């Protein structure tokens, strides 16, 4: 019998997940279909229940339902716990098992696809929202020399650093305190780029040979990437690899088969110009 999966979000028209999972299923010869569902605001539990009743095996969850999915789960992985948010669900009888693959997908893109080890590096994370939260544990597992979180609302960054302190050398500071500091890898995990805005990060934070990584994808050269480029950074990346890698993690979790990501990333890549 064909197994049924879906991504749920609102709005959902922009989603690339059905395309990505369709390509994975074709390449690995899995008997499954993957569609998109426009969830109703405030009705996540009912929409999830309807999908399960209709035979759904698993779901990806995107904005604005990642916290609702966390609340509805009966089991949560440590990564989902730390993120306080869920981007993948697996249904098994009465069990609703929750995961968060955003951070692990991001880390895999950086270390595997871009060939940039985080071990021993000075890492700067801009933003303290859901994506930043999800990245913390996977980043710290790579044993960076330091991980600094900065955020417009500083107390959110401070709270995150405190929560993750037991897992590695993590600290928080205000944007203004970045003056005079340099980092080997700088992640823009703010949503500023979605509105073509630039977080107030000093151009001098990029160390020689740094990687500048924009989590948003498909937007070409965002203000953050342009800042990095103008500061002399030659390694620029956006979040397309993260998107495909988190999808591959979910696919492997559901199906027990790891798909190749390279051809799918290539297909979805928008040039950074
Ligand atoms: P959230 O809404 O949870 O968090 C937004 C963050 O951005 C907050 O820290 C907020 O600061 C900060 N922010 C927003 N506007 C500005 C600004 N103008 N200047 C400085 N800081 C700002 O968003 P998410 O964490 O879900 O998403 C963050 C980014 O990651 C988005 O670009 C999203 O597209 C991308 N993403 C990419 C994925 C992928 O697969 N490639 C997956 C998930 C997310 P404050 O707390 O002060 O409001």
């Amino acid at each position: 019998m064909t197994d049924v999966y879906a991504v749920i979000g609102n709005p959902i028209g922009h989603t690339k997940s059905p395309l990505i999972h369709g390509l994975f299923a074709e390449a690995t010869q899995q008997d499954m279909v993957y569609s998109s569902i426009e969830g109703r605001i405030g009705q996540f539990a009912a929409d999830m229940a309807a999908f399960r009743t209709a035979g759904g095996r698993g779901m990806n969850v995107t904005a604005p339902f990642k916290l609702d999915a966390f609340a509805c789960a009966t089991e949560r992985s440590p990564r989902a716990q730390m993120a306080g948010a869920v981007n993948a669900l697996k249904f098994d009888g009465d069990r609703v098992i929750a995961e968060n693959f955003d951070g692990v997908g991001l880390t895999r893109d950086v270390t595997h696809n871009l060939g940039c080890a985080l071990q021993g590096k000075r890492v700067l994370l801009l933003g303290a929202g859901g994506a930043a939260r999800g990245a913390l544990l996977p980043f710290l597992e790579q044993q960076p020399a330091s991980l600094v979180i900065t955020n417009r609302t500083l107390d959110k960054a401070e709270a995150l650093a405190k929560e993750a302190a037991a897992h590695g050398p993590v600290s928080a500071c205000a944007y203004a305190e970045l003056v005079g500091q340099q980092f080997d890898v700088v992640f823009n995990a703010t949503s500023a780029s979605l509105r073509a805005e630039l977080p107030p990060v000093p151009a001098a934070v990029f160390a020689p040979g740094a990687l500048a990584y924009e989590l948003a994808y498909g937007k070409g050269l965002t203000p953050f990437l342009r800042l990095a480029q103008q500061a002399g950074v030659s390694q620029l990346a956006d979040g397309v690899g993260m998107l495909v890698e988190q999808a591959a993690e979910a696919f492997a979790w559901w199906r027990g088969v790891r798909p190749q990501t390279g051809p799918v990333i290539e297909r979805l890549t928008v040039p950074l110009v």
Side-chain angles (χ1 to χ4, degrees), residues 29-41:
Q29 300 184 317
Q30 294 291 300
D31 185 11
M32 59 181 276
V33 291
Y34 187 110
S35 60
S36 62
I37 297 173
E38 184 160 294
R40 295 166 298 163
I41 304 296

Side-chain angles (χ1 to χ4, degrees), residues 128-131 151-153 156 189-191 195 197 215 217 239 243:
N151 193 44
R152 189 173 58 179
T153 312
K156 281 204 232 167
T190 76
S191 54
R195 291 176 301 280
E197 293 168 5
L215 269 68
Y217 55 87
L243 175 74

